[in-house]
Amino acid sequence: MLRHLGVHAPRLAFNFKSSLIHGGRGKTLTTRAFSSSAAVSPPSKAIVYEAHGEPDTVTKLVEVPAVEVKEKDVCVKMLAAPINPSDINRIQGVYPVRPEPPAVGGYEGVGEVHSVGSSVTSLSPGDWVIPSPPSFGTWQTYIVNDEKVWHKIEKGVPMEYAATITVNPLTALLMLEHCVTLNSGDAIVQNGATSMVGQCVIQIAKSRGIHNINIIRDRPGVDEVKERLKNLGADEVFTESELEVKNVKSLLGGIPEPVLGFNCVGGNAASLVLKFLRQGGTMVTYGGMSKKPVSVSTSSFIFKDISLRGFWLQKWLSTDKAEESRGMIDRLLSLVQEGKLKYKMDLAPFEDFNTALDKALGKLGSQPKQVIKF
Amino acid sequence: MLRHLGVHAPRLAFNFKSSLIHGGRGKTLTTRAFSSSAAVSPPSKAIVYEAHGEPDTVTKLVEVPAVEVKEKDVCVKMLAAPINPSDINRIQGVYPVRPEPPAVGGYEGVGEVHSVGSSVTSLSPGDWVIPSPPSFGTWQTYIVNDEKVWHKIEKGVPMEYAATITVNPLTALLMLEHCVTLNSGDAIVQNGATSMVGQCVIQIAKSRGIHNINIIRDRPGVDEVKERLKNLGADEVFTESELEVKNVKSLLGGIPEPVLGFNCVGGNAASLVLKFLRQGGTMVTYGGMSKKPVSVSTSSFIFKDISLRGFWLQKWLSTDKAEESRGMIDRLLSLVQEGKLKYKMDLAPFEDFNTALDKALGKLGSQPKQVIKF
């Protein structure tokens, strides 16, 4: 089943064992003859891994020659692309859907159109585009792929937001809109509220008039974290230990019991989400940061009528509903431009990829999302 | 929310603190004057509990005088009624929806119409009827309630099956038909396969061409249990220890991966149901015999796309879909008459109620379902 997921593999602008590369054209440039009039991409640089393993060990910067830009192709000069946890898991080989190495890292990003094939009319050089649905192999300076892979966006958006809009913010929006029907005045509850998805959930919920109750872990500086989340639009923020009371619902005040909960932690933090949920509520699991399972009492299922399910962006993007995602991305980018959707990021020069990677791997303490600027 | 469940409370044919009895008419017969022409029920005997507590301590047999049979009423002489685990939990006071004591025990049963009110046309003396949806207070010899409470059934059915059809078999049928769409050739998996619901699931699945995989606990005489379940229509029966293998699906042979699982045990037995489920499958919890919670990995939710929910008959019967239940009961009784639905029961005389109760409470070792014959 997993192999049927519709993951779009861009052609990679380099010849590194290209016959083996996931989505490669199957020929190396050294054996490939261009007609003299054929349009070609500029040479490119890419972060490649030849085998699965720890990303700081197996990735390397590779120089790759030009590839042909066919009539329906668009050659994009990448501007920025993030290092997401799922990118790391794909390189490690522990993510269920992943390109087989050798492959270029990265899954989302933003670029500027450099040149277009002879029959391309929807895009012109200078346009800003994102691969939508996101595609494997965004950690390179030039990508050539079919016109239909690219979604044109407004140029006014900060490039780090455009580069990161299709994974975390889209996950937050889809979970809020495609799990249960939420109306203004309803409430949701989530753990992992400081995660990027968590921050997006708060802001999107607020923009829709949905109350949000947030659970964070106990740690130093918790008051500052609470303040920051409340400034984003959080109605309530509780640490796990603050919820060690018999009746968590007594803490809700005037907020209605949540109909929907999001869990990206597992273990006790998931049980707390379940405790808040109202009769007939749903909890959606989209991550497992604690690496602990979700534990549910029998009476929660039978007498409280709780439903549990998962959300996985990559699976959703393989469905026929995924066509909606470009419109949703435009909505999210509008929220960014209106200042209603924000989260912390570090823009890191491509030359300093290794440092950005170390930060993304947590080797340098807690860091904001690392976004590579090409 | 629970208090909104549509539980039908029959009027009780006795005057035992009737002003306090759940569903009582609010007057005791000693202060109530019948007109000389009023139809009345015969005097009745009932198993009553005055307070919540252990059923063998708080229940007692009470003699109750006649009550009026109004124009839309039907007076039913009860023939048989089972002692279900939920009856015991209601008396204990641990079931979320329960009559407040003092109350008559019992929730389902079968009876014969004794007399009808002046405007009743759908039923006549001698008809066999069951309260449908089931109603509190079936452990008494005469029940007077509105005509619309009673569902007429064929008289050819063994009374112990008619008395027990609206709880366990209906649960099995509803779970097979209202959770996911199952087609002939599909497969389900369940734990607690020797329970009454489990046995009904096997037989109903078989009658619909649905493969069924069954999990039982390790215990002496397991081969005999397997043989018995296979005779009912089980495709596969495994003990929990037999499923301690890396890939349980290798045991499926030609049976497709189950799309639906039923859990009435919890703990490890629930995890085994989850292991068998196919990508996108659903597990429905309807019991928790082990008193252990259900534990689910994050990847089951995200990458395997498993959904979990509960089923509670009493809740389902409070929905507008419950109208379908009478037709479903007729189908189940037809299966009984065709010999396609069977399970072990003990018919116990009403005078020996205390012994039957002890058996139902497990005080006399493993016993079949106890059905009181009035």
Side-chain angles (χ1 to χ4, degrees):
Chain A
M1 179 99 177
L2 287 174
R3 75 188 57 163
H4 300 145
L5 292 175
V7 285
H8 292 250
R11 267 158 299 163
L12 306 174
F14 72 102
N15 72 343
F16 179 79
K17 290 190 187 169
S18 65
S19 63
L20 290 175
I21 287 172
H22 183 88
R25 270 184 173 157
K27 285 182 180 177
T28 61
L29 279 174
T30 50
T31 63
R32 185 163 156 196
F34 294 120
S35 69
S36 58
S37 63
V40 292
S41 74
S44 187
K45 292 177 183 175
I47 303 295
V48 172
Y49 52 106
E50 292 184 59
H52 290 308
E54 280 314 300
D56 53 347
T57 311
V58 298
T59 58
K60 61 181 178 181
L61 181 68
V62 170
E63 306 243 353
V64 287
V67 295
E68 186 176 354
V69 180
K70 291 188 172 169
E71 59 177 2
K72 291 181 179 171
D73 280 347
V74 173
C75 174
V76 173
K77 180 183 189 309
M78 292 301 287
L79 298 169
I83 306 176
N84 283 321
S86 51
D87 295 323
I88 290 168
N89 294 150
R90 286 192 194 91
I91 296 170
Q92 291 166 329
V94 299
Y95 208 72
V97 177
R98 55 184 189 253
E100 277 310 300
V104 177
Y107 184 58
E108 66 173 339
V110 64
E112 184 178 283
V113 174
H114 173 267
S115 59
V116 300
S118 57
S119 72
V120 171
T121 55
S122 65
L123 293 170
S124 310
D127 287 343
W128 275 25
V129 290
I130 57 176
S132 173
S135 304
F136 295 139
T138 54
W139 292 349
Q140 59 182 325
T141 51
Y142 288 91
I143 300 179
V144 177
N145 211 332
D146 197 279
E147 174 183 17
K148 68 181 187 298
V149 168
W150 302 104
H151 175 55
K152 182 177 172 178
I153 61 164
E154 295 287 331
K155 279 176 117 167
V157 188
M159 70 168 71
E160 65 272 29
Y161 280 93
T164 55
I165 206 77
T166 56
V167 172
N168 287 315
L170 186 58
T171 293
L173 183 59
L174 285 168
M175 291 201 304
L176 281 164
E177 302 206 339
H178 285 267
C179 294
V180 304
T181 303
L182 290 172
N183 299 309
S184 179
D186 284 342
I188 60 110
V189 55
Q190 66 171 343
N191 60 31
T194 58
S195 72
M196 256 181 73
V197 172
Q199 291 181 55
C200 292
V201 163
I202 291 169
Q203 294 170 86
I204 297 166
K206 185 184 170 69
S207 76
R208 288 189 48 201
I210 294 163
H211 300 286
N212 59 88
I213 298 125
N214 299 277
I215 304 170
I216 60 175
R217 64 179 195 272
D218 292 274
R219 57 179 162 190
V222 75
D223 289 339
E224 194 188 327
V225 175
K226 286 187 177 186
E227 189 64 24
R228 187 157 54 81
L229 295 182
K230 287 192 175 177
N231 284 339
L232 291 181
D235 289 298
E236 294 289 352
V237 186
F238 301 107
T239 63
E240 290 188 36
S241 66
E242 286 170 345
L243 298 176
E244 282 172 8
V245 293
K246 187 151 190 192
N247 179 9
V248 292
K249 290 184 182 173
S250 65
L251 305 171
L252 281 176
I255 301 174
E257 293 176 55
V259 60
L260 179 63
F262 301 131
N263 164 47
C264 69
V265 182
N268 181 54
S271 300
L272 293 174
V273 168
L274 289 173
K275 269 194 195 176
F276 269 115
L277 283 186
R278 81 173 189 202
Q279 180 86 13
T282 298
M283 184 173 82
V284 176
T285 290
Y286 69 97
M289 277 159 32
S290 75
K291 300 191 195 295
K292 289 179 187 156
V294 173
S295 183
V296 195
S297 71
T298 299
S299 63
S300 293
F301 286 121
I302 301 181
F303 302 131
K304 203 176 164 185
D305 194 22
I306 296 297
S307 295
L308 283 86
R309 45 190 284 202
F311 180 82
W312 188 22
L313 180 69
Q314 201 161 332
K315 165 121 194 310
W316 191 89
L317 290 170
S318 72
T319 68
D320 53 7
K321 285 176 290 186
E323 283 176 26
E324 304 169 35
S325 66
R326 290 189 175 186
M328 298 181 97
I329 283 163
D330 292 340
R331 281 170 56 198
L332 290 164
L333 291 173
S334 294
L335 286 176
V336 170
Q337 287 188 286
E338 294 162 17
K340 293 179 180 168
L341 185 62
K342 50 197 172 192
Y343 38 87
K344 275 196 183 164
M345 290 174 281
D346 261 2
L347 264 177
F350 189 34
E351 305 81 58
D352 294 343
F353 177 82
N354 288 341
T355 307
L357 182 60
D358 283 347
K359 286 181 179 174
L361 290 169
K363 291 186 168 188
L364 302 170
S366 180
Q367 299 281 341
K369 171 76 65 189
Q370 298 297 302
V371 181
I372 307 302
K373 184 177 181 307
F374 295 95
Chain B
M1 178 102 175
L2 289 175
R3 76 187 58 162
H4 300 146
L5 293 175
V7 285
H8 293 249
R11 264 158 300 158
L12 307 173
F14 73 102
N15 72 343
F16 181 81
K17 289 187 187 170
S18 65
S19 64
L20 291 173
I21 288 172
H22 183 88
R25 270 183 170 157
K27 285 185 181 175
T28 60
L29 281 176
T30 50
T31 63
R32 190 163 153 194
F34 294 121
S35 69
S36 57
S37 62
V40 294
S41 73
S44 186
K45 292 177 183 177
I47 303 294
V48 172
Y49 53 105
E50 292 184 59
H52 290 308
E54 280 317 300
D56 53 349
T57 310
V58 298
T59 58
K60 62 179 176 182
L61 181 68
V62 170
E63 305 243 353
V64 286
V67 295
E68 185 176 355
V69 180
K70 292 189 172 168
E71 60 175 4
K72 290 181 180 171
D73 280 347
V74 173
C75 174
V76 173
K77 179 184 189 309
M78 291 302 286
L79 298 169
I83 306 176
N84 284 320
S86 51
D87 295 322
I88 290 168
N89 294 149
R90 285 193 194 91
I91 296 170
Q92 290 166 330
V94 299
Y95 208 73
V97 177
R98 56 184 187 254
E100 279 308 301
V104 177
Y107 185 56
E108 65 174 339
V110 63
E112 185 179 281
V113 174
H114 173 267
S115 59
V116 300
S118 56
S119 72
V120 171
T121 55
S122 65
L123 293 171
S124 309
D127 286 345
W128 274 26
V129 291
I130 57 177
S132 173
S135 303
F136 296 139
T138 54
W139 294 349
Q140 60 180 323
T141 52
Y142 288 91
I143 300 179
V144 176
N145 212 332
D146 197 278
E147 174 183 16
K148 66 180 189 298
V149 167
W150 302 105
H151 176 53
K152 182 176 170 178
I153 61 163
E154 296 286 331
K155 278 177 118 169
V157 190
M159 70 168 72
E160 65 272 29
Y161 280 94
T164 55
I165 207 77
T166 55
V167 173
N168 288 314
L170 186 59
T171 293
L173 183 59
L174 284 167
M175 291 200 305
L176 281 164
E177 303 206 336
H178 285 267
C179 293
V180 304
T181 302
L182 290 171
N183 300 308
S184 179
D186 284 341
I188 61 109
V189 56
Q190 67 170 344
N191 60 29
T194 58
S195 71
M196 258 182 70
V197 171
Q199 292 181 54
C200 293
V201 163
I202 291 170
Q203 295 171 84
I204 297 166
K206 184 183 169 69
S207 76
R208 289 191 47 201
I210 294 162
H211 300 286
N212 60 88
I213 298 123
N214 300 277
I215 304 170
I216 60 175
R217 65 180 196 270
D218 293 274
R219 58 179 160 188
V222 75
D223 289 340
E224 192 189 327
V225 174
K226 285 187 176 185
E227 189 64 22
R228 186 158 55 81
L229 294 182
K230 286 193 174 175
N231 283 339
L232 290 181
D235 288 300
E236 295 287 353
V237 186
F238 302 106
T239 64
E240 289 187 37
S241 65
E242 285 170 348
L243 299 176
E244 283 171 7
V245 294
K246 187 152 189 191
N247 180 9
V248 293
K249 292 187 179 170
S250 64
L251 304 172
L252 280 177
I255 300 175
E257 292 176 58
V259 60
L260 179 62
F262 300 131
N263 164 47
C264 69
V265 182
N268 181 55
S271 300
L272 293 173
V273 168
L274 289 171
K275 268 193 191 175
F276 268 115
L277 282 187
R278 81 172 190 206
Q279 179 87 15
T282 298
M283 185 172 82
V284 177
T285 290
Y286 71 97
M289 277 159 31
S290 76
K291 301 190 194 298
K292 290 178 185 157
V294 173
S295 182
V296 195
S297 72
T298 299
S299 63
S300 292
F301 285 121
I302 301 181
F303 302 133
K304 202 174 165 188
D305 193 21
I306 297 296
S307 295
L308 283 85
R309 46 190 282 204
F311 180 81
W312 188 23
L313 180 69
Q314 200 160 335
K315 166 122 193 310
W316 192 89
L317 289 171
S318 73
T319 68
D320 52 7
K321 287 177 288 187
E323 284 176 27
E324 303 169 38
S325 65
R326 291 190 174 186
M328 301 182 96
I329 283 164
D330 292 339
R331 283 170 55 200
L332 290 164
L333 291 174
S334 295
L335 286 176
V336 169
Q337 287 190 284
E338 293 162 18
K340 293 178 179 168
L341 186 61
K342 50 195 170 195
Y343 39 86
K344 275 196 184 162
M345 289 173 281
D346 261 0
L347 264 177
F350 188 35
E351 305 81 62
D352 294 345
F353 177 81
N354 287 342
T355 308
L357 181 61
D358 282 348
K359 287 182 178 172
L361 289 169
K363 292 187 167 187
L364 302 171
S366 181
Q367 298 282 340
K369 171 76 68 189
Q370 299 296 302
V371 181
I372 306 303
K373 184 177 178 307
F374 294 94

